[in-house]
Amino acid sequence: MSYWRERAASAIEQAISTINVNLENLSEQDKQQLKCVIDAAYPFRTRKNHPYQIWLDERQKAFERLGIINERLRRKSTASSIAIARDLTVPGQQSLF
């Protein structure tokens, strides 16, 4: 694990441990509170470049693990970006020819 990934994962875990909620059964309010606490725990100076990208990746993994964001939605958006990268049409996109 890289230095940036370890620091990001550690900061997220520390932020989660500060909240006194039942992680097995989160209400919408608990999910929103966890999101805010995790976002506030950003351990690096500026939100740009490689450390920020690693932070976003670790944040996404934590959100999926906690059930804050559905993993299925992430896969759907990834599939659309892959289609664009391969120069294929995206579902719902009109063809020029």
Side-chain angles (χ1 to χ4, degrees):
M1 195 181 277
S2 75
Y3 170 78
W4 303 112
R5 194 165 296 279
E6 285 178 9
R7 291 221 18 225
S10 174
I12 289 170
E13 291 306 316
Q14 286 177 357
I16 291 171
S17 67
T18 63
I19 299 295
N20 190 17
V21 295
N22 180 7
L23 296 178
E24 300 299 321
N25 189 17
L26 292 172
S27 67
E28 288 303 314
Q29 184 179 4
D30 292 340
K31 289 179 182 180
Q32 190 63 30
Q33 185 181 12
L34 271 171
K35 268 182 153 179
C36 291
V37 168
I38 290 172
D39 288 343
Y42 183 72
F44 312 119
R45 290 183 185 160
T46 58
R47 291 180 185 255
K48 63 180 183 179
N49 299 329
H50 182 69
Y52 185 55
Q53 295 301 315
I54 297 296
W55 167 260
L56 291 175
D57 186 48
E58 289 298 316
R59 177 182 177 264
Q60 184 72 32
K61 288 178 186 177
F63 284 179
E64 289 172 0
R65 188 180 75 240
L66 295 169
I68 295 173
I69 292 180
N70 192 345
E71 186 175 345
R72 181 178 53 85
L73 296 175
R74 181 178 184 202
R75 286 189 189 145
K76 184 177 179 182
S77 66
T78 304
S80 296
S81 64
I82 291 171
I84 292 169
R86 292 185 185 162
D87 200 24
L88 301 173
T89 58
V90 177
Q93 180 181 5
Q94 294 182 350
S95 175
L96 295 174
F97 305 101

